[in-house]
Amino acid sequence: MKERTQRLLTRFSSVNSFLTCKDLSTEFLISERTVRNEMALINSFLAENGYPPIKTVRGKGFKLSLSAKEREDLLIKIGDDRTFDYYRPNERFLALLLDIVNPLNTTFLYEMEEKLQVSKSTLDEDMRRLRLFLKNHGISVVSFPKQGVVLQGDERSIRSMLYRVISSMTDIDALFRVQNPEVAVSALEQVVIDYLNPKAIGIITELYDEILVKSQMEVNYMYRNQVILFLGIWLRRMQERNTLSESAKVKNRIKEGPIRDLIGSLCRDFDLDPPLIEMDYITLAIESFNPKDMNNSIDWITAQLLAIQLIEHVEKITGIPFSQREDELYEGLYKHITGLLSRSKNDIQATNPLKDTIKASYAEIYEAVTCFKKQIEEHTKKPLSEDEIGFLTVYFSTSASWMKQEKRAVYQAVVLCSHGLSTGRLLAANLKEHFDIDIVAVLSSHEVSFIDKLDVDLVFTTIPIDYRKKPLLVLNPILRESDKKEIDSFLRKNKDKRRMISTNLDATELMQDILKLIIDSGGKVTKESYQKAEETFKNHHLKINTREIQPMLQDILKNSNILLNQACKDWKEAITKAADLLMEEEAIEASYITAMIKSVEEYGPYIVVGKHLALAHARPEDGVNELGVSVMSLKDPVYFGNPDNDPVRLVFCLAAVDSYSHLNIMRNLIDLINDEEKVKRLIAAQNIETFNKVLYGSQKNY
């Protein structure tokens, strides 16, 4: 049975509702005529194996009526029927690449003709395609009389290339289900499985779940299998003694923690003794897939600037008021962009298996995000892939779906998703948008046991699981029209499970009144007490718009923290002089100034965020006592080394205590970054009163 026929039959075998020709045409990217031709092939297969045919009902579509046992048996038979007697073009490409990259093989092209069962002309065309592809990655293909065909190039480039090829050409989830004998894999996936070694992948998976998941580290399940794949490639290259050049710069930033424990366990299990540069490399790679808070990244301010600007941009283009749900949207975008910036430094591109569906389902938002790619690329210095645009679109689509929800839901359910928490949240938002469903929790495929602990009536999952305690429905992560019909039928069948619940209330003013009452009574609102109050409100389904509570720039920037027309011999003195104002009032320690200078020395002039404008900062743990801002204009320009925005004439110094309390200040600074004329007027200001009038307009009394 052809692969497309197999996939169509699998679709029919997995649902109880009708599927129309239009639904299938859109879903499988084929014409309606092709769908009808495939129906004939499928019905022949069903007849040969003793199953009833797919029936056509006018006005409804196609439907395969089978018992649960028949469906289970048919799915197994479909997998067994896949033919492996020849390789398709993509399969040949990957098989050829992995044969060449494997040092245990000696690849001679005349032998590959027989192995791949193709003619010399076909293999010559495959090699031409492969050479062109590798050239774009800075890798060359060289032939030697005794060694055969080999790759030559930078080791980082080869690893990144292998990761991109495997993740883009295969179903990564299927690669890591090989231990289940009932799961059929394609010939393409089998090639990869053989290269990576199923036993090695099994050990990596077990260690990943045992160390990272059980350590309660904030793991992004969207990337779990991609991290395991990357580790598998790293392990294979290390075992083959293909290591990074010792001449490369080592930052020696490896810290104790779950990721370090994972790498250490892998090295012990596989008897590896990697050099420091390898430990640093693989640590950074894993962290880029699981970004925590700003404390683990030098790019946290850049990520915040981009997240805020992206929200404003997409809201302007689409007209959707995303600022109404900005808290959740911003947090998701900020963490994702932090990881994106880190991955770009390591030449790693995350793969989004749902990008085409996302692009088709949320075209307006996708196009709006695409229009912002240039701003992101200015920081990554690399093209922003459609995969990453798809990920960013998911956060906006989820937010838009929640805003369309009705005020009351009548079912309580849990969503289980194998593609990651953000995709699971999108499915949850869509379920609540289109149906009377309240999603209590979104779980990963490794948290099935938690279902029993939740007060839910229904289970929606993107992967088949053996769970029979509550009604369960398997869905596609991005809802299709056929899925909506299936859900509607499922809900009608379980209408006795409906219940009434209350919705969140906007309690921003109540929160503000309580904080004011604490202060008026002689108390003090600390970071810890505020976070506890915020968590209490959320636990009682009371919504808080933190944007209204956070201070603005004019609330924090004191006149005593403004210096004008100062003379500085270089950028180090400029940072120090601006920061001294905050140190004098004990908002920061001297260590914070040292950290700011050291960061620029190590990572370059990334703090020059706009034309003639620098935003000096370091991490909160480097010596911040309280939120503070200072600013200084320079009599003579100072060069930081930024070719686009030098020379600097205006230096802001930001001391942030966490990731969120200063966001309104960041919005004020973004407005300034986008207004070069205003920056020029600030530089020209000769007194603080004029400076404030330019900076705030009519927003502040003097």
Side-chain angles (χ1 to χ4, degrees):
M1 186 190 304
K2 292 188 301 182
E3 186 176 355
R4 183 173 64 201
T5 312
Q6 180 193 39
R7 290 190 293 117
L8 275 165
L9 180 51
T10 300
R11 181 77 174 108
F12 277 105
S13 305
S14 304
V15 301
N16 289 304
S17 59
F18 284 94
L19 297 171
T20 68
C21 216
K22 184 179 180 181
D23 291 338
L24 294 169
S25 173
T26 301
E27 187 176 330
F28 289 90
L29 302 177
I30 55 179
S31 68
E32 294 187 22
R33 180 179 179 180
T34 302
V35 171
R36 294 189 180 92
N37 292 337
E38 292 289 351
M39 288 297 104
L41 296 173
I42 289 173
N43 278 332
S44 295
F45 174 84
L46 292 172
E48 291 171 5
N49 289 275
Y51 294 100
I54 293 175
K55 294 183 178 179
T56 305
V57 178
R58 182 179 293 274
K60 291 186 176 181
F62 306 112
K63 184 176 182 180
L64 178 59
S65 299
L66 298 174
S67 67
K69 182 65 170 64
E70 286 175 324
R71 288 181 186 279
E72 184 178 341
D73 292 342
L74 178 57
L75 285 170
I76 295 173
K77 189 175 289 294
I78 293 170
D80 292 340
D81 192 72
R82 169 70 158 89
T83 57
F84 292 90
D85 55 344
Y86 69 95
Y87 286 96
R88 294 171 175 80
N90 276 353
E91 294 169 347
R92 291 199 309 271
F93 179 92
L94 192 52
L96 188 57
L97 173 62
L98 295 183
D99 195 278
I100 294 172
V101 84
N102 186 352
L104 300 179
N105 297 333
T106 302
T107 305
F108 294 107
L109 295 183
Y110 68 88
E111 292 179 348
M112 292 303 295
E113 292 174 24
E114 182 177 351
K115 185 175 181 178
L116 299 177
Q117 300 181 41
V118 294
S119 66
K120 182 180 183 301
S121 61
T122 298
L123 189 62
D124 287 344
E125 176 59 27
D126 288 341
M127 283 300 298
R128 188 197 66 78
R129 178 186 172 201
L130 181 61
R131 284 192 175 93
L132 181 61
F133 173 81
L134 293 173
K135 183 180 179 181
N136 292 333
H137 288 79
I139 303 167
S140 58
V141 181
V142 183
S143 297
F144 295 100
K146 294 183 179 180
Q147 292 176 264
V149 182
V150 297
L151 300 187
Q152 289 186 344
D154 178 69
E155 179 60 22
R156 287 176 184 264
S157 299
I158 292 175
R159 295 178 189 181
S160 298
M161 176 273 297
L162 287 171
Y163 169 78
R164 290 179 193 175
V165 171
I166 294 173
S167 61
S168 63
M169 283 190 168
T170 63
D171 179 355
I172 300 179
D173 293 336
L175 295 178
F176 305 117
R177 294 198 294 267
V178 295
Q179 294 169 331
N180 182 351
E182 294 185 359
V183 175
V185 295
S186 69
L188 197 63
E189 287 149 3
Q190 191 61 53
V191 169
V192 177
I193 291 167
D194 292 340
Y195 172 73
L196 294 176
N197 185 341
K199 184 177 180 181
I201 290 298
I203 293 173
I204 295 172
T205 302
E206 184 178 341
L207 288 173
Y208 182 95
D209 291 339
E210 179 181 341
I211 296 173
L212 295 194
V213 177
K214 289 186 179 179
S215 69
Q216 297 184 339
M217 177 180 169
E218 187 178 349
V219 174
N220 192 329
Y221 286 98
M222 179 190 299
Y223 303 128
R224 172 184 177 272
N225 288 346
Q226 296 189 46
V227 174
I228 293 171
L229 170 61
F230 199 89
L231 282 168
I233 293 170
W234 176 75
L235 176 63
R236 180 68 193 258
R237 298 295 291 177
M238 289 293 295
Q239 290 174 323
E240 296 165 353
R241 302 182 185 277
N242 291 304
T243 57
L244 301 177
S245 169
E246 289 288 352
S247 62
K249 185 177 180 181
V250 181
K251 296 185 175 65
N252 193 19
R253 63 184 300 279
I254 303 170
K255 300 177 182 178
E256 294 299 322
I259 291 178
R260 180 67 182 84
D261 294 341
L262 171 62
I263 298 169
S265 295
L266 281 173
C267 292
R268 286 191 295 273
D269 282 13
F270 291 95
D271 194 26
L272 298 176
D273 185 21
L276 181 60
I277 188 174
E278 286 288 357
M279 299 292 281
D280 186 56
Y281 166 83
I282 196 62
T283 299
L284 286 167
I286 299 174
E287 285 184 348
S288 72
F289 282 103
N290 292 292
K292 299 182 195 176
D293 207 344
M294 62 186 179
N295 296 343
N296 80 325
S297 173
I298 198 66
D299 295 312
W300 66 278
I301 283 289
T302 301
Q304 288 187 340
L305 288 170
L306 288 172
I308 294 170
Q309 289 174 302
L310 180 57
I311 292 172
E312 293 177 349
H313 169 82
V314 176
E315 182 174 279
K316 181 179 179 180
I317 296 295
T318 64
I320 302 172
F322 287 109
S323 55
Q324 292 180 6
R325 290 188 58 85
E326 191 173 40
D327 293 353
E328 297 89 344
L329 175 58
Y330 166 79
E331 182 175 0
L333 288 173
Y334 162 56
K335 289 185 177 180
H336 185 90
I337 293 173
T338 301
L340 189 161
L341 294 172
S342 179
R343 287 192 293 277
S344 69
K345 286 188 175 72
N346 289 279
D347 198 26
I348 300 170
Q349 289 189 3
T351 301
N352 188 338
L354 303 173
K355 64 180 177 184
D356 292 333
T357 309
I358 293 169
K359 186 176 182 179
S361 301
Y362 304 102
E364 183 184 20
I365 295 175
Y366 184 92
E367 288 303 317
V369 175
T370 301
C371 291
F372 190 78
K373 64 181 293 186
K374 183 179 179 181
Q375 287 91 319
I376 296 177
E377 290 171 348
E378 287 176 358
H379 295 278
T380 62
K381 307 303 180 186
K382 294 175 183 175
L384 185 67
S385 68
E386 290 191 350
D387 299 79
E388 291 288 7
I389 294 173
F391 284 130
L392 295 171
T393 299
V394 165
Y395 293 105
F396 284 99
S397 304
T398 303
S399 184
S401 293
W402 282 121
M403 284 190 282
K404 294 178 183 176
Q405 294 167 21
E406 295 182 359
K407 293 184 178 181
R408 300 184 69 84
V410 292
Y411 288 94
Q412 287 200 175
V414 62
V415 167
L416 192 71
C417 187
S418 64
H419 291 276
L421 291 182
S422 61
T423 307
R425 291 189 184 108
L426 175 58
L427 174 57
N430 279 322
L431 285 169
K432 193 167 183 182
E433 176 187 352
H434 296 289
F435 302 95
D436 294 328
I437 301 172
D438 181 53
I439 305 301
V440 174
V442 178
L443 305 177
S444 73
S445 56
H446 308 283
E447 298 175 304
V448 177
S449 60
F450 285 104
I451 297 176
D452 294 336
K453 300 177 183 179
L454 300 173
D455 180 23
V456 296
D457 309 310
L458 307 174
V459 178
F460 295 97
T461 175
T462 63
I463 52 171
I465 59 172
D466 186 16
Y467 183 84
R468 305 179 184 181
K469 296 180 182 179
K470 293 172 183 175
L472 179 146
L473 182 63
V474 180
L475 292 173
N476 188 61
I478 305 294
L479 290 185
R480 303 162 295 203
E481 287 305 314
S482 56
D483 291 314
K484 294 175 185 177
K485 297 173 186 176
E486 183 78 359
I487 296 167
D488 189 58
S489 174
F490 177 71
L491 294 179
R492 286 200 304 270
K493 182 179 178 181
N494 294 284
K495 61 183 179 181
D496 59 312
K497 304 293 184 183
R498 289 182 298 181
R499 62 168 89 179
M500 299 300 293
I501 62 171
S502 61
T503 57
N504 289 343
L505 300 174
D506 190 335
T508 305
E509 290 187 12
L510 176 60
M511 179 71 160
Q512 290 174 319
D513 289 343
I514 291 176
L515 295 177
K516 185 175 184 299
L517 181 61
I518 293 172
I519 296 171
D520 291 346
S521 302
K524 184 178 180 181
V525 178
T526 64
K527 173 186 173 182
E528 291 74 18
S529 63
Y530 174 82
Q531 289 176 339
K532 288 180 180 178
E534 188 177 47
E535 188 63 31
T536 300
F537 270 59
K538 289 182 179 179
N539 289 340
H540 288 275
H541 306 290
L542 298 173
K543 180 183 176 183
I544 304 170
N545 186 343
T546 55
R547 183 170 185 170
E548 295 183 18
I549 297 174
Q550 294 163 352
M552 303 292 286
L553 180 60
Q554 58 263 40
D555 299 323
I556 300 298
L557 181 57
K558 306 170 186 175
N559 287 347
S560 58
N561 285 344
I562 301 174
L563 282 178
L564 302 178
N565 299 315
Q566 299 297 303
C568 296
K569 64 178 183 293
D570 56 26
W571 64 266
K572 291 183 182 180
E573 185 179 354
I575 291 177
T576 302
K577 205 164 188 176
D580 278 340
L581 299 170
L582 297 179
M583 193 168 71
E584 287 174 7
E585 60 182 25
E586 299 183 347
I588 62 173
E589 305 290 339
S591 59
Y592 191 72
I593 301 176
T594 302
M596 288 190 290
I597 292 173
K598 185 178 179 181
S599 292
V600 175
E601 288 177 334
E602 186 170 358
Y603 297 101
Y606 67 96
I607 66 170
V608 183
V609 294
K611 204 72 175 176
H612 310 309
L613 189 152
L615 176 58
H617 62 276
R619 295 187 289 259
E621 70 270 21
D622 290 327
V624 177
N625 298 322
E626 63 183 31
L627 177 62
V629 179
S630 61
V631 62
M632 177 179 69
S633 64
L634 293 163
K635 182 178 181 181
D636 298 308
V638 170
Y639 286 82
F640 279 65
N642 186 304
D644 298 320
N645 295 321
D646 267 347
V648 170
R649 296 290 301 271
L650 195 64
V651 180
F652 279 87
C653 182
L654 171 66
V657 294
D658 53 38
S659 301
Y660 305 102
S661 59
H662 60 286
L663 291 185
N664 277 337
I665 295 172
M666 296 293 288
R667 293 185 184 93
N668 296 146
L669 293 177
I670 287 172
D671 292 339
L672 190 57
I673 291 169
N674 295 329
D675 192 340
E676 288 187 31
E677 182 59 35
K678 193 172 189 178
V679 171
K680 291 178 182 178
R681 290 164 59 203
L682 288 173
I683 295 168
Q686 297 300 309
N687 56 68
I688 291 177
E689 182 178 1
T690 302
F691 187 92
N692 282 330
K693 285 181 178 179
V694 173
L695 185 59
Y696 305 119
S698 60
Q699 297 177 19
K700 191 169 182 176
N701 297 320
Y702 307 102

